[in-house]
Amino acid sequence: MFNLVDKYSKTVRKIIRQKTGGANPDLEQEIFFRLWQKQEQYVDQGKERAWVCIVATNICRDYFKSKFVVHACKHVDMPRDVTDERQNPEIKFTQNERQKIILAAVNSLPRKMRQVIVLHEFEYMPLDDIAKRLNVPVGTVKSRLFSARKILAQRLCFLKPNEL
């Protein structure tokens, strides 16, 4: 397994960046875990790199279908244009790209901050409930939420304020 990680870590990271718009260590770990699980089923025909690429691509696709991403995308406020968006592919493309950028920024947060921001902003969970769920004081939740928002504001400052 370590041989796969050493050989293909750059390739997997590149695929993740192409498919999700940024680095995602959790997704990278998921890919290598799945490769490890399925390595006995792999038939060596000299196409190991192609197999790794296919697995990585499929897991990235599954990631965007996951409950978290679908739920997060539903709650991101989108700027509405007077024209019908279904008929304007440029607007639809721009919105999809903006969603990818925002989700990539959220995913790039440290795990503890990401947990708090997802629970509070995407799942609308009150701070008290988050504290109970994570087994930390409410003050810690508030601190992590503040820090996460500050980092996201810095990373997403190039977006127009009304697009956040």
Side-chain angles (χ1 to χ4, degrees), residues 1-17:
M1 177 60 191
F2 292 111
N3 187 26
L4 283 176
V5 175
D6 292 339
K7 268 173 96 172
Y8 299 112
S9 61
K10 288 182 183 178
T11 303
V12 168
R13 285 186 194 125
K14 182 178 177 184
I15 290 170
I16 291 170
R17 277 193 306 275

Side-chain angles (χ1 to χ4, degrees), residues 1 12 15-20 24-38 50-67 69 107:
M1 177 60 191
V12 168
I15 290 170
I16 291 170
R17 277 193 306 275
Q18 287 173 344
K19 300 295 179 189
T20 66
N24 189 331
D26 294 335
L27 200 54
E28 183 178 348
Q29 183 178 6
E30 173 68 24
I31 290 167
F32 283 113
F33 178 71
R34 191 84 52 92
L35 289 169
W36 175 75
Q37 282 181 322
K38 304 291 183 183
W51 174 63
V52 170
C53 291
I54 289 169
V55 170
T57 301
N58 288 339
I59 291 174
C60 287
R61 285 184 190 147
D62 292 346
Y63 170 74
F64 280 108
K65 294 176 190 174
S66 72
K67 183 179 178 181
V69 175
N107 285 331

